[in-house]
Amino acid sequence: MVLSQRFRTAALTTAIAVVAHTGWAQPSGDPAPESASPVVSNPALDAELFYEIFLGELSSRTGDPGAGYALMLEAARRTGDGQLYQRAADIALQSRSGDYALAAAMAWKGVQPQSREANRYVLQILIALNRIGETPALLRQELAQSPARAKASTLAALPQMYGRASDKALAAKVVGEALVDELTHPATGPIAWISLGRVRLAAGDKTGALDAARSAQTLDNANEGAARLALELMEESTPDAEPLVVQALAKQPVPELRLAYARVLLGLQRFPDAARQLELVTQAKPELAEPWLVLASLQYQDNRLPEAEKSLQRFIELAAAGTEDQARERGLTQAYLLYAQIAEKKQDYTAAESWLGRITNVEEVFSAQSRRASLLARQGKLAQARALLRSLPGTTADEKRMKLLAEVQLLRDLKMYQEAYATQVELVALAPDDTELIYDQAMLAEKAGKTDTMEQLLRQLIAQQPQYHHAYNALGYSMAERGVRLDEAKQLILKALEFAPGDPFITDSLGWVEFRLGNKTDAKRHLETAYRARPDVEIAAHLGEVLWSLGDQDGARKVWKEGQRVNPDNETLKETLTRLGVSL
């Protein structure tokens, strides 16, 4: 078969480049530079090598990488040239032959043991092959050979480098052993500890990661990297990490770090704390647009509508003056939606419609129409609202699902649980194997008073997805809430904790079932642990009731007030206060 000229030219170009690098075709009489590989003096051998390299390139580019690899590796062994070993390894990698790539890289390192490139190739290929236990010495050599100016970047790359290791604990052990010298060095210690902390966190070792963050901050008490690692730990339900963030902000109040802290607090549903941080950011750097938008949403949630409108206006002014891009358009859309919600809360439906009419982003039109449906429903036009959602354009399965999801949410918000459940059944019919949709159907069944259906659906999920901890927790919590089969409920919740250790919502369920069983001391302990990790309003409702039953009325009122500030309309908290006859 005649090869195309394109393949011939490409192979020849690469072969010439390799030969030029090694000096094999160097004209006689010109001395070779000291750094070049030894020049082959025999002209016939020069030609033979050139031809071998050319054939190797040609073979690798025309569908026979095995032959190309063998020819290139043979040429490398005959000359001892690093670039040829590297090319042989690259050919193997391109054909997804990891073991052959490793053989070429190992041969290269055997010939040039102090070559940083050879060492890096072996190291990276071993990691890719998941042979993590063979990498400590190679990693130590890479760190030792990294120039001082690049050492920090090398260290920072370690979590990503070892990120695909299947045995994360072994990866953390290997990295820890390799970093012994770097961890104690004043210049590299902070970044070394932070990288080790991230590798430990990936392995699920939160305690080790926290110790690493503390060590980094001890070496540099204003280190932003230590604070950002601490923020990651906070997101992983490690409350003891928060003092590191607070200390870093006290030493160096960087607005971007404070904004990141606010985002984590939002995720933890600590809305008043998040609002305080955002207010500090807007004071320190009022030209940043994003904090104004997030602050406005918190002010709206706290029913501080005039302040929310001022923050929104400031955001819109800054966004309008900024560069037009997708992030700006998304932000403006969110601002218009929030303005519409504020107007809706004031029952100014005309203004709400006006704000929704400003949304032109195609991706957000669906959200705007969903809000319009909500406006119609609030005005008593439920049939029109549902018709609006059903008439939205969309013929694909995903688009149909989105429309039904919006309708379910609309009915749920109106507490029309029977209708919401019936619509969810339609939704599940579109995707009968979707675990999340079936779970939501079970939750709506309970709201609609169909407890037998709820139990049947959750037990079905447990049978199909034995590690789906949400189903165990929901079933156990429902039993505890109804006061039935409490021993079984406790076992279900404990099973959920096996799959999601430390989860604050499952810990809340455990505390609640202990309370129902009469174990008030254990209930208090579990609920306090859950509330520290996630100060959620429903956890506050449960903890407050346990404290109240133990005679600690001041403690109960304090917790309930904190929960009320997070969400004054929460049904669980309102029902608890009404049942106990408590007025805050």
Side-chain angles (χ1 to χ4, degrees):
M1 179 174 131
V2 179
L3 297 174
S4 73
Q5 184 61 36
R6 178 167 60 86
F7 283 126
R8 291 177 184 274
T9 303
L12 182 60
T13 301
T14 304
I16 290 171
V18 172
V19 170
H21 166 80
T22 58
W24 295 329
Q26 185 177 316
S28 59
D30 293 339
E34 291 182 9
S35 59
S37 298
V39 179
V40 181
S41 58
N42 186 333
L45 192 54
D46 287 349
E48 184 181 335
L49 280 167
F50 183 91
Y51 187 65
E52 193 169 6
I53 295 166
F54 172 70
L55 279 182
E57 285 296 337
L58 197 59
S59 299
S60 67
R61 291 169 183 271
T62 55
D64 191 1
Y69 168 83
L71 287 163
M72 201 63 67
L73 185 57
E74 177 59 25
R77 284 174 173 154
R78 289 167 64 188
T79 62
D81 185 78
Q83 192 180 31
L84 289 177
Y85 280 114
Q86 181 177 338
R87 183 65 189 128
D90 286 341
I91 292 170
L93 289 171
Q94 287 160 10
S95 62
R96 301 183 182 278
S97 301
D99 289 333
Y100 285 101
L102 179 61
M106 291 288 286
W108 179 12
K109 184 167 172 55
V111 172
Q112 299 178 4
Q114 294 308 310
S115 166
R116 186 184 178 201
E117 282 303 309
N119 186 75
R120 291 174 79 178
Y121 257 67
V122 176
L123 173 61
Q124 291 168 3
I125 294 170
L126 282 172
I127 292 173
L129 293 174
N130 222 14
R131 292 164 60 172
I132 306 301
E134 300 173 44
T135 64
L138 298 161
L139 180 54
R140 281 195 292 271
Q141 181 176 334
E142 166 61 14
L143 292 169
Q145 292 181 324
S146 294
R149 64 182 181 280
K151 184 68 69 71
S153 298
T154 302
L155 290 166
L158 293 180
Q160 184 177 2
M161 186 185 298
Y162 281 87
R164 287 183 290 179
S166 60
D167 190 337
K168 306 291 187 187
L170 177 59
K173 181 176 181 292
V174 164
V175 172
E177 290 174 356
L179 292 183
V180 169
D181 294 334
E182 310 298 337
L183 294 171
T184 56
H185 195 287
T188 60
I191 184 62
W193 277 114
I194 292 163
S195 291
L196 178 57
R198 288 208 164 90
V199 177
R200 286 175 175 174
L201 182 57
D205 181 8
K206 298 177 188 178
T207 302
L210 180 58
D211 288 342
R214 285 173 175 155
S215 297
Q217 197 167 70
T218 299
L219 290 171
D220 181 0
N221 60 16
N223 189 284
E224 187 176 338
R228 290 194 178 273
L229 174 56
L231 286 175
E232 293 177 40
L233 285 161
M234 286 180 64
E235 290 178 313
E236 295 290 331
S237 303
T238 312
D240 291 343
E242 187 169 6
L244 301 182
V245 182
V246 174
Q247 182 178 335
L249 285 169
K251 292 286 183 181
Q252 194 174 355
V254 180
E256 289 77 12
L257 177 61
R258 197 177 294 280
L259 179 58
Y261 182 32
R263 290 195 193 102
V264 173
L265 293 171
L266 281 171
L268 296 174
Q269 298 184 24
R270 290 171 52 183
F271 301 125
D273 293 337
R276 280 193 292 274
Q277 295 302 320
L278 288 165
E279 285 165 358
L280 290 170
V281 173
T282 56
Q283 290 167 16
K285 212 160 185 178
E287 70 276 13
L288 285 177
E290 182 191 352
W292 290 105
L293 179 59
V294 183
L295 180 60
S297 68
L298 289 174
Q299 290 165 335
Y300 165 78
Q301 186 172 291
D302 206 26
N303 211 32
R304 295 154 57 191
L305 302 187
E307 294 172 65
E309 288 180 296
K310 287 181 181 177
S311 296
L312 280 175
Q313 184 58 42
R314 180 61 178 150
F315 168 78
I316 290 173
E317 289 170 359
L318 291 168
T323 306
E324 291 192 16
D325 57 20
Q326 289 184 345
R328 171 182 175 272
E329 289 304 312
R330 282 196 300 270
L332 285 170
T333 296
Q334 290 174 29
Y336 297 150
L337 284 169
L338 189 52
Y339 254 131
Q341 288 177 276
I342 291 171
E344 186 179 345
K345 207 163 193 175
K346 294 178 176 179
Q347 297 187 344
D348 186 349
Y349 301 121
T350 302
E353 279 282 354
S354 175
W355 283 110
L356 291 173
R358 296 192 184 198
I359 297 173
T360 57
N361 187 332
V362 175
E363 295 178 359
E364 299 295 342
V365 167
F366 186 87
S367 297
Q369 293 294 74
S370 297
R371 290 307 311 168
R372 284 198 172 97
S374 177
L375 290 175
L376 288 169
R378 286 179 178 275
Q379 296 173 74
K381 302 173 183 177
L382 178 60
Q384 290 173 252
R386 297 183 73 176
L388 171 61
L389 290 173
R390 299 241 172 181
S391 67
L392 288 173
T395 56
T396 68
D398 284 343
E399 289 167 339
K400 289 177 181 177
R401 285 175 63 178
M402 284 181 65
K403 291 195 289 184
L404 287 172
L405 279 168
E407 189 174 350
V408 169
Q409 189 59 52
L410 174 70
L411 295 166
R412 192 197 296 263
D413 290 344
L414 294 170
K415 297 181 173 58
M416 300 179 67
Y417 298 120
Q418 293 284 356
E419 293 83 351
Y421 174 77
T423 307
Q424 185 73 20
V425 171
E426 288 185 59
L427 185 54
V428 171
L430 291 176
D433 297 324
D434 191 314
T435 300
E436 299 296 333
L437 292 181
I438 297 170
Y439 176 80
D440 289 342
Q441 182 184 356
M443 296 300 93
L444 280 169
E446 182 182 40
K447 290 283 189 183
K450 303 174 184 291
T451 53
D452 289 345
T453 301
M454 177 211 67
E455 286 203 22
Q456 177 187 347
L457 288 168
L458 290 176
R459 292 188 189 280
Q460 171 189 326
L461 279 179
I462 289 170
Q464 294 173 348
Q465 301 281 345
Q467 294 185 326
Y468 189 65
H469 61 272
H470 300 295
Y472 294 97
N473 181 50
L475 184 54
Y477 177 77
S478 174
M479 290 177 177
E481 187 71 359
R482 289 177 284 137
V484 300
R485 290 168 280 158
L486 294 177
D487 289 331
E488 182 186 359
K490 182 176 177 179
Q491 292 307 310
L492 285 164
I493 293 165
L494 288 172
K495 188 68 175 178
L497 276 173
E498 286 181 20
F499 295 120
D503 185 293
F505 294 111
I506 304 177
T507 305
D508 167 64
S509 298
L510 181 59
W512 195 237
V513 76
E514 292 286 16
F515 178 61
R516 293 292 198 182
L517 285 164
N519 305 323
K520 295 183 180 180
T521 302
D522 287 340
K524 176 175 177 285
R525 176 168 53 84
H526 292 310
L527 289 167
E528 285 177 338
T529 299
Y531 191 63
R532 277 195 304 272
R534 181 65 66 91
D536 177 79
V537 60
E538 295 203 10
I539 301 176
H542 293 152
L543 176 57
E545 182 164 351
V546 171
L547 293 172
W548 187 271
S549 73
L550 289 168
D552 185 2
Q553 295 188 356
D554 290 339
R557 287 180 183 278
K558 178 177 179 294
V559 171
W560 282 331
K561 284 179 180 178
E562 289 172 356
Q564 197 173 58
R565 282 197 296 272
V566 171
N567 184 0
D569 299 322
N570 180 266
E571 292 180 10
T572 302
L573 179 57
K574 288 166 71 174
E575 186 277 329
T576 300
L577 296 175
T578 301
R579 176 165 43 81
L580 296 177
V582 178
S583 177
L584 299 179

